[in-house]
Amino acid sequence: MGRYLLKRVLNMIPLLILATLLSFSIMQLAPGGPEKVLLAAEDATLDPSRIEELRERWGLNDPIPVQYVRWLGNVLTGDFGRSYFYRKPVSEVIGSALPATLQLQSIALFLTYLIALPLGIISAVRQYSKLDYAVTGLAFAGQAAPSFWVAILLIWGVAMKSNGLIPTNGIATPGVNFETYGWLSVLADRAKYMILPLTVMVFGSLTSLTRYMRSSMLEVLKEDYIRTARAKGLAEKVVVYKHALRNALLPVISISGGLLSSMVGGAVITETIFSWPGIGRVGFDAVTQRDYNVSMAIMLMSGVLTLIGFLLVDIAYVWVDPRIKYD
Amino acid sequence: MRISRRAASLLSLLVVAGLALSACGPKQDPTPPGNNGGAQNEQPAPSTGQPAVGGNLNLVLEKEPDSFNSILYTTAYGAEIVTQLYATLFEFNEKYEPTPYVAESWEMSEDQLTLSIKIREGIKFTDGTDLDAEDVAFTLEAIMHPDYTGARASSLRDVESIEVVDKHNLKIHLKKPSAPLLTNINYGILSKEAFEGYSIAEMEKAPASMDAPVGAGPYKLKEYVRGQYVVMERNPDWFMSEQYGGAPFIETLTFKIIPDSQTALAALQNGEIDRLTPEASDVAMLETQFADKLTAYNWDRNGFGYMTLNNSKAPLDDKRVRQALTLGLDREAIITGVLEDRATIPPGPIPPISWAYDDSIEVLERDVEKAKQLLEEAGFVMNESTGIYERDGEPLKLTFFAGAGATTTEAIGAIARSSWKEIGVDLDVQMIDFNAMMDNYVAPGKFDVTFSAFNLGLDPDSMFNLFHSSAGQPDANGNVLGFNRARFYNDRVDELLEKAREEFDPEKRKEYYSEFQRIVVDEAPVIMVYSNVYTDFVNSRVKGVVNFPGFGATSDYIYRWYINEK
Amino acid sequence: MAVAAEQKTDKLYGQAPKETTQFQQIVRRFLRNKAAVVGLIVLLLMYLVAIFAPYLASESLDAMNIPARFTPPSLEHPFGTDNLGRDVLSRMIWGSRVSLSVGFVAMTMAVAIGSLVGAVAGFYGGTWIDILLMRLAEAISIIPVFFLLITVVSVIRPSIFNIMLVIGVTSWPGLAQIVRSQFLSLRQRDFTEASRAMGASDARLIFRHILPNAAGPIIVSATLRIGSAILTESSLSFLGLGTQPPLTSWGQMLSQGRPFLLQAPWVSIFPGLAIFIVVICFNFVGDGLRDALDPKMKR
């Protein structure tokens, strides 16, 4: 197992290089470089030689492979370069966005599992009951309703009617900090800003997990060994939670890796509507502003996150299903 | 996703006219500036109560401010912050005339080639150092430096050199006379000391460009949390404070970053932000349902949305075809359908709000028959089966490019498509990413029609940027990078714009601009589509708001605002 | 596919397959699920509407009437008119063509690639083929799809085909992983071993014996995917990078109606409802199919 994981981690490196090279090339091929975004869009009677100078200064005239290798070399030394647009080190531009995204997304992910798995199990165990239909309906509605719709409904229907209890947008009240207010007030402050975005995200991602859980649970419940277990006179609870659940979790685990990867890019709209200063928004702006270094750093980080997700999936597999062995 | 109207209006203003407007004589003139525009400007009642120091004002930024350096920032979001942080040489009053700020007095030489400026004594930067002639020279020379990486180089094109006479006197030597000079050199003064040890090319790396800006403006930076908010606090040592009765009055300004306009609207209604320029479609609702909570400030935009026609590509190289398109476009429909009647059709390239507007120019009414007649004169024959004009067997089909992401441009494209179909012109509408559009189609001239917006700023000299041939010359790769994307080359227009730039007599300047306007209207290199009538909504607890002609409840005068909760 | 699964039992016990009966059983089982049947009927109707759009839409795509803007729903305009006075119902009928095909085409591409890759990888689990295919899947899923979409749509013009292509080509890895995980556990089951012992080829094992057993998760995922492809298109429209005018899609109508949500809710509510209903119907049908195809299902 340990050897397998080590191999897995080593395998990731060429994968990351492949993915970043791909992203780098696509981005450089997109028309309109950062020098034009900065100068041509603003200076009405621009001297074209200025554009050339800037490209030269930023090394944008070198062939793409050369630029890529230079970028990779810098990244290996911990230097992500400078944001062309914000004229700051990239680390500063995305430094605060990453924790904001991780904070929101990990809680959302946790809540999604917390709600979706039991819902899926219940609706499988009590297939075709009223409860099953209710859960199915809720889960389906979650996916079918476009997220920005739900978000706007929440802003107008909840935040605006809460008498200032729930803010319409943002992540924290300016000035509420640990030093003057204590951790309890800070926690309460952060929590009230999180309510709406979390609702949108959890509601929207319930569907797939609930459905997979239900479907795979149904599958397992019909297996011979479950019948045997039942025949042996084991209590239904023991059958379901001890014998069936483990096996039913397998396919559910396999989609979790994907859930992690969609964390980074998937929240552009939720982040935009609730003014959540996360990586999705920074990434979207970076793509439209052709801020290569910022978008590359985000691609790289999301790649690393995804790979970690895959690794966790692998570990979870072996843990849940002892029949699967590597090496 | 969409540059706000406020943002858009500030953007061109800054680029064209240097750092924005600032104050005029506030105490002596408590009533808001006069109604230059003609449209339904509602004047708020003069404020009651005495301004007192205190309170917090919540403002909105649609996106992250890009830079706090007054000569490097490029976005309107950066402008909002920079305006508060730095002091400029001049302020401009409601008639767009310069008044003293950092410059105590100034004088132009007889030959109009040397401007002598006397710097006010005793100005301190927020770090306690003196602001003197050296700092002014440093700021301007940085822009003129070959290594300068920002977007303002062309504004100081006519400046030959800067001469520091002594601590409080400097001279600006010009290559040729320049009437809009004062607006072109009006940048936020940087502290030379704060950039010591950094070359001009590297000045963005100095702390003073990032989180430790050093300025002499009415506010200073208190806290900046990326992606969330910028908090600024009152500069108690602001050198204009005494003159303005203790201004600035509001203790802190909190700029919240709210990217979505619908969210911002909810935040305004909820009292989470104090000022917003909403979508036209929301104005009526705010006016009726929130009359007790919000005060409305109407203002005419000193600019316009316009369609650029590609004058150097057939069939639009023919004046008659351009005129036909102008006559065929249903601009009334655009103003009703897209802007809720909160706009007017600009008669010519200089809006009525400007002193240079020629009031003999009238708006051309839509005339389908005349448009068709012009197309026939240009050699087009109607193909009765398709309903589209043809010339040499080629149907009259044009491509319209617009930046993606705005409901308004989509609707403008739809109206253009249907109204030009009525004059027998087929329009293909393409909405794509703005930078891709500029790079692939507009700059290389591979387009027929495109839509953009332009603001004149403080001086009509900005017309030079849109219509002078030098702003439309293709570079070595055939790309036009200047704003004359119409590739409109007219010798007489060039001459008039040059003359107006070098002429100091307002009457003569106005004459030059009058002739210029008539030529542009006749040649129709672009189609003027609309000039907005905007409404700024400000929470009624905020008093002393200045409704500046052409710019509304702009941030430039926030130091005059004060908060009165009653 | 369940037919194939059943054959396995038949072979094992040496009985002749009864194909028609199997199919009838599936149909019967499906028909018993009311939600699925209703969903299927609604979907069929919607696709019929899309196909016959030119005959059904009372107005052409870009027929506008500014004086009649924001007319509330009435007999003349059942779903009201939008900011340019265009009939919302007519535009929705035209838009159904884009919305319904985006979901379907993108899903078909993703399912085809995803199940093939997942099946092969899972069957040869642990070998170099598995590693290679899964690395490929991972490399693709490393790149955040939404950024990739935005970048690609900026490079090449946004068009309905490009959007379908990018969604399809980038959204298969998740499915491949589901299929693979099914295979990993199925390939060690008794029936696989039995078939292998009887000399079945790898291809036969994959496609005839194991894949049908993995049909449940594939179908569930496919139906969810149609919905998410439709929603992805609407997200792109939200950012202004969706379908090109004068063509429209429900997603685009929804986001264009957003600024008028308070003063003219019908402009965005009806397209939003249409998306909502289609996505839910696909899910119901997928649900019904899953149950119907499962040979072991007894009610």
Side-chain angles (χ1 to χ4, degrees):
Chain A
M1 181 75 187
R3 260 188 59 204
Y4 169 75
L5 286 182
L6 183 72
K7 231 170 80 186
R8 197 81 167 76
V9 170
L10 287 179
N11 274 333
M12 287 177 170
I13 292 163
L15 216 58
L16 266 182
I17 293 183
L18 189 74
T20 48
L21 178 62
L22 202 67
S23 321
F24 195 84
S25 316
I26 293 176
M27 232 174 286
Q28 297 269 351
L29 287 174
E35 77 287 353
K36 290 193 187 131
V37 173
L38 268 183
L39 296 188
E42 306 300 330
D43 196 335
T45 48
L46 181 68
D47 179 358
S49 67
R50 289 249 166 205
I51 293 250
E52 266 315 296
E53 273 170 39
L54 216 53
R55 284 191 71 85
E56 200 58 45
R57 195 186 299 283
W58 289 339
L60 296 172
N61 282 336
D62 300 334
I64 291 178
V66 174
Q67 290 189 49
Y68 177 74
V69 170
R70 189 171 51 219
W71 175 80
L72 198 63
N74 288 340
V75 166
L76 288 178
T77 64
D79 176 14
F80 286 90
R82 291 182 72 81
S83 156
Y84 301 120
F85 194 79
Y86 294 109
R87 299 176 180 270
K88 284 185 176 75
V90 167
S91 52
E92 222 168 281
V93 174
I94 54 180
S96 57
L98 189 65
T101 291
L102 287 181
Q103 178 198 335
L104 185 67
Q105 299 271 15
S106 52
I107 297 175
L109 208 61
F110 176 75
L111 285 179
T112 307
Y113 275 90
L114 198 70
I115 298 170
L117 295 190
L119 282 184
I121 294 167
I122 290 170
S123 72
V125 173
R126 307 186 52 184
Q127 196 184 8
Y128 300 126
S129 68
K130 286 218 172 83
L131 192 66
D132 178 24
Y133 285 123
V135 169
T136 306
L138 176 80
F140 282 174
Q143 190 212 11
S147 62
F148 60 86
W149 233 35
V150 179
I152 292 167
L153 282 178
L154 286 176
I155 288 180
W156 293 103
V158 178
M160 299 284 284
K161 299 217 157 73
S162 71
N163 267 331
L165 205 67
I166 300 174
T168 55
N169 71 92
I171 176 171
T173 310
V176 176
N177 54 26
F178 288 96
E179 291 81 38
T180 38
Y181 289 82
W183 64 272
L184 204 66
S185 326
V186 172
L187 209 65
D189 182 64
R190 304 298 183 265
K192 74 178 181 189
Y193 280 94
M194 244 190 263
I195 294 172
L196 297 191
L198 275 183
T199 312
V200 172
M201 291 169 72
V202 172
F203 188 53
S205 51
L206 269 184
T207 322
S208 54
L209 262 186
T210 313
R211 299 313 290 166
Y212 281 122
M213 192 65 228
R214 176 182 184 271
S215 132
S216 115
M217 194 75 187
L218 282 175
E219 202 93 13
V220 172
L221 282 176
K222 280 167 311 215
E223 293 287 345
D224 292 342
Y225 62 86
I226 297 292
R227 264 186 247 164
T228 316
R230 277 187 181 138
K232 279 199 303 189
L234 288 180
E236 187 65 19
K237 267 192 182 157
V238 179
V239 173
V240 172
Y241 295 105
K242 200 159 172 212
H243 297 263
L245 187 57
R246 262 195 156 203
N247 288 299
L249 276 176
L250 270 185
V252 175
I253 289 170
S254 73
I255 67 159
S256 306
L259 281 181
L260 264 175
S261 78
S262 62
M263 275 177 52
V264 172
V268 180
I269 289 174
T270 314
E271 287 182 4
T272 302
I273 293 184
F274 290 110
S275 316
W276 194 272
I279 212 85
R281 240 172 74 197
V282 175
F284 177 72
D285 284 346
V287 171
T288 52
Q289 290 156 353
R290 306 290 189 268
D291 205 341
Y292 299 147
N293 288 340
V294 174
S295 21
M296 281 312 292
I298 288 174
M299 296 259 183
L300 183 68
M301 278 189 317
S302 101
V304 171
L305 268 183
T306 312
L307 287 174
I308 292 173
F310 290 157
L311 204 62
L312 291 177
V313 166
D314 276 4
I315 296 170
Y317 254 50
V318 179
W319 176 63
V320 172
D321 190 352
R323 282 175 304 174
I324 297 171
K325 284 197 188 67
Y326 298 101
D327 291 336
Chain B
M1 271 156 251
R2 178 185 60 86
I3 289 188
S4 79
R5 276 107 26 139
R6 168 174 304 279
S9 74
L10 280 166
L11 202 65
S12 306
L13 162 73
L14 291 159
V15 169
V16 168
L19 181 60
L21 330 129
S22 274
C24 22
K27 294 291 275 179
Q28 307 90 305
D29 182 16
T31 38
N35 186 344
N36 292 20
Q40 348 96 334
N41 264 19
E42 154 203 333
Q43 298 298 345
S47 49
T48 50
Q50 281 306 306
V53 172
N56 172 58
L57 185 72
N58 291 309
L59 298 154
V60 62
L61 291 178
E62 204 172 295
K63 281 188 180 184
E64 197 76 42
D66 57 332
S67 171
F68 295 157
N69 182 312
S70 66
I71 62 171
L72 287 182
Y73 76 91
T74 47
T75 65
Y77 325 109
E80 290 279 302
I81 309 298
V82 162
T83 304
Q84 308 303 332
L85 284 175
Y86 298 93
T88 53
L89 282 172
F90 318 102
E91 297 177 314
F92 289 85
N93 65 17
E94 299 90 329
K95 290 173 188 146
Y96 299 0
E97 293 159 347
T99 62
Y101 190 7
V102 166
E104 193 175 60
S105 61
W106 57 92
E107 197 182 0
M108 186 58 98
S109 66
E110 279 291 305
D111 60 1
Q112 290 170 340
L113 288 174
T114 305
L115 177 71
S116 309
I117 299 175
K118 169 141 180 37
I119 305 295
R120 197 183 294 266
E121 286 180 35
I123 303 178
K124 297 256 186 236
F125 281 114
T126 45
D127 66 351
T129 55
D130 286 339
L131 185 160
D132 55 33
E134 287 287 350
D135 298 297
V136 177
F138 169 77
T139 306
L140 296 178
E141 280 168 349
I143 296 172
M144 294 158 64
H145 198 283
D147 286 346
Y148 168 66
T149 60
R152 291 172 177 78
S154 58
S155 65
L156 297 185
R157 191 192 302 99
D158 294 338
V159 175
E160 174 76 47
S161 64
I162 318 260
E163 178 197 348
V164 176
V165 179
D166 59 35
K167 203 167 179 233
H168 297 292
N169 283 290
L170 85 166
K171 287 192 162 118
I172 295 177
H173 298 288
L174 302 175
K175 293 173 188 160
K176 54 184 174 190
S178 169
L181 180 68
L182 298 195
T183 57
N184 283 348
I185 60 172
N186 203 32
Y187 293 107
I189 308 299
L190 297 170
S191 157
K192 187 180 180 182
E193 236 167 87
F195 290 91
E196 238 157 59
Y198 294 90
S199 67
I200 296 300
E202 304 267 274
M203 79 184 298
E204 64 182 48
K205 293 185 178 167
S209 290
M210 296 194 279
D211 47 8
V214 179
Y219 283 88
K220 52 188 183 182
L221 189 64
K222 187 181 179 201
E223 192 191 7
Y224 170 37
V225 182
R226 247 199 103 76
Q228 299 180 39
Y229 53 80
V230 183
V231 182
M232 314 196 71
E233 66 180 343
R234 178 174 185 269
N235 176 5
D237 306 321
W238 188 42
F239 64 95
M240 297 296 272
S241 185
E242 210 172 302
Q243 187 169 344
Y244 292 147
F249 302 111
I250 297 172
E251 188 64 45
T252 53
L253 308 177
T254 305
F255 289 88
K256 297 180 177 175
I257 299 169
I258 303 180
D260 187 74
S261 57
Q262 298 285 113
T263 310
L265 179 67
L268 176 79
Q269 297 183 3
N270 218 17
E272 291 170 56
I273 56 171
D274 291 314
R275 179 189 69 183
L276 186 73
T277 315
E279 301 277 351
S281 52
D282 295 320
V283 171
M285 180 265 297
L286 288 174
E287 271 177 345
T288 51
Q289 294 175 25
F290 290 83
D292 53 334
K293 229 176 134 182
L294 303 170
T295 309
Y297 300 89
N298 291 311
W299 51 284
D300 296 330
R301 178 184 190 169
N302 185 16
F304 42 79
Y306 70 107
M307 284 186 186
T308 302
L309 307 176
N310 188 344
N311 286 243
S312 60
K313 180 167 173 265
L316 297 177
D317 54 353
D318 188 326
K319 175 171 130 180
R320 289 166 295 193
V321 180
R322 300 196 299 265
Q323 287 172 332
L325 291 180
T326 310
L327 288 168
L329 183 66
D330 194 348
R331 293 184 282 186
E332 291 290 351
I334 292 176
I335 282 170
T336 305
V338 183
L339 299 157
E340 313 274 330
D341 288 324
R342 292 181 186 276
T344 52
I345 299 176
I350 295 182
I353 192 168
S354 169
W355 58 262
Y357 167 64
D358 179 349
D359 54 16
S360 69
I361 297 174
E362 278 173 28
V363 176
L364 289 174
E365 296 289 326
R366 185 166 192 239
D367 191 336
V368 173
E369 284 319 306
K370 189 153 180 233
K372 286 181 165 176
Q373 192 189 321
L374 281 165
L375 288 176
E376 278 157 23
E377 278 171 27
F380 286 92
V381 182
M382 172 59 79
N383 179 334
E384 295 297 340
S385 63
T386 58
I388 300 298
Y389 274 104
E390 286 180 1
R391 190 165 66 182
D392 309 326
E394 282 287 309
L396 182 43
K397 188 179 163 99
L398 303 174
T399 310
F400 173 84
F401 284 99
T407 305
T408 45
T409 30
E410 191 271 343
I412 289 167
I415 293 173
R417 214 179 110 78
S418 83
S419 57
W420 281 342
K421 193 169 254 171
E422 288 171 30
I423 60 164
V425 177
D426 190 13
L427 188 71
D428 178 26
V429 179
Q430 295 280 342
M431 317 255 306
I432 60 175
D433 170 85
F434 180 80
N435 296 306
M437 170 184 92
M438 293 307 290
D439 219 35
N440 281 355
Y441 305 103
V442 177
K446 292 178 190 158
F447 73 101
D448 297 307
V449 188
T450 179
F451 182 82
S452 24
F454 187 79
N455 282 359
L456 273 78
L458 294 174
D459 196 293
D461 179 62
S462 51
M463 285 292 116
F464 196 97
N465 299 325
L466 275 193
F467 297 108
H468 194 273
S469 62
S470 67
Q473 285 308 326
D475 65 5
N477 304 318
N479 291 326
V480 168
L481 296 174
F483 280 15
N484 183 357
R485 294 168 189 138
R487 296 167 182 248
F488 172 65
Y489 313 125
N490 183 301
D491 292 340
R492 182 63 188 157
V493 164
D494 282 3
E495 195 187 335
L496 288 165
L497 288 172
E498 286 160 23
K499 277 187 170 165
R501 175 172 272 188
E502 295 180 18
E503 180 57 62
F504 282 77
D505 177 2
E507 281 310 308
K508 275 195 183 151
R509 270 192 99 190
K510 192 172 173 177
E511 267 170 42
Y512 294 138
Y513 283 124
S514 287
E515 191 185 343
F516 152 80
Q517 289 168 74
R518 286 193 295 270
I519 297 176
V520 168
V521 169
D522 178 58
E523 286 286 330
V526 300
I527 303 176
M528 296 290 151
V529 183
Y530 59 78
S531 262
N532 311 62
V533 179
Y534 286 131
T535 307
D536 287 348
F537 285 91
V538 181
N539 196 306
S540 300
R541 73 193 184 98
V542 184
K543 315 288 182 196
V545 176
V546 177
N547 187 0
F548 197 85
F551 299 92
T554 160
S555 297
D556 301 73
Y557 299 93
I558 280 178
Y559 66 84
R560 285 214 247 154
W561 300 15
Y562 60 98
I563 290 171
N564 187 344
E565 297 291 349
K566 280 284 147 126
Chain C
M1 284 186 277
V3 178
E6 200 77 358
Q7 276 177 338
K8 155 209 74 181
T9 351
D10 294 339
K11 260 191 198 152
L12 284 176
Y13 298 101
Q15 286 171 2
K18 291 176 268 178
E19 308 255 341
T20 27
T21 339
Q22 295 301 335
F23 182 71
Q24 281 167 353
Q25 272 184 20
I26 292 168
V27 173
R28 208 163 42 231
R29 277 199 295 259
F30 183 84
L31 289 180
R32 227 180 285 153
N33 186 334
K34 287 197 192 76
V37 174
V38 172
L40 186 67
I41 293 172
V42 173
L43 285 179
L44 285 176
L45 282 176
M46 290 213 173
Y47 274 93
L48 281 176
V49 166
I51 291 166
F52 295 106
Y55 306 99
L56 293 172
S58 61
E59 285 180 13
S60 73
L61 243 175
D62 50 0
M64 55 183 73
N65 180 10
I66 303 284
R69 60 202 301 259
F70 296 135
T71 313
S74 64
L75 270 181
E76 195 190 347
H77 301 288
F79 291 177
T81 63
D82 68 4
N83 53 325
L84 298 180
R86 297 175 292 198
D87 182 48
V88 173
L89 178 61
S90 297
R91 280 175 68 74
M92 277 176 64
I93 292 173
W94 288 109
S96 68
R97 297 186 140 192
V98 173
S99 292
L100 293 175
S101 50
V102 164
F104 203 75
V105 174
M107 177 279 292
T108 312
M109 281 171 60
V111 166
I113 306 174
S115 4
L116 184 68
V117 172
V120 172
F123 188 79
Y124 300 105
T127 68
W128 65 271
I129 303 181
D130 175 29
I131 293 171
L132 190 79
L133 287 175
M134 282 301 104
R135 287 307 160 276
L136 183 69
E138 287 169 9
I140 288 184
S141 49
I142 279 177
I143 305 172
V145 175
F146 207 65
F147 290 146
L148 188 71
L149 262 176
I150 294 167
T151 317
V152 170
V153 167
S154 314
V155 180
I156 49 181
R157 284 188 197 185
S159 80
I160 193 64
F161 292 104
N162 295 336
I163 293 168
M164 287 194 275
L165 197 75
V166 181
I167 298 179
V169 168
T170 51
S171 61
W172 60 266
L175 189 83
Q177 269 156 342
I178 295 168
V179 175
R180 174 176 175 270
S181 80
Q182 288 283 309
F183 267 68
L184 279 180
S185 92
L186 286 171
R187 72 181 170 141
Q188 281 157 345
R189 295 294 178 81
D190 299 340
F191 68 83
T192 321
E193 296 299 329
S195 312
R196 200 192 297 273
M198 292 173 73
S201 70
D202 281 0
R204 191 177 171 78
L205 274 172
I206 291 176
F207 293 107
R208 299 284 286 176
H209 294 186
I210 310 184
L211 196 58
N213 281 289
I218 294 180
I219 289 167
V220 173
S221 152
T223 51
L224 288 174
R225 228 155 266 272
I226 294 191
S228 72
I230 293 178
L231 292 166
T232 305
E233 196 275 332
S234 82
S235 302
L236 280 173
S237 293
F238 177 87
L239 300 173
L241 296 169
T243 316
Q244 284 293 310
L247 267 185
T248 190
S249 70
W250 294 341
Q252 199 175 43
M253 293 180 69
L254 179 61
S255 56
Q256 278 168 5
R258 204 169 80 95
F260 319 114
L261 196 61
L262 293 180
Q263 58 158 308
W266 56 86
V267 179
S268 54
I269 277 184
F270 288 111
L273 268 181
I275 293 177
F276 189 82
I277 290 170
V278 163
V279 175
I280 281 205
C281 285
F282 267 115
N283 288 348
F284 279 139
V285 171
D287 225 34
L289 273 180
R290 197 207 73 88
D291 290 350
L293 288 172
D294 191 332
K296 281 172 273 165
M297 235 272 326
K298 296 233 166 55
R299 194 161 177 187

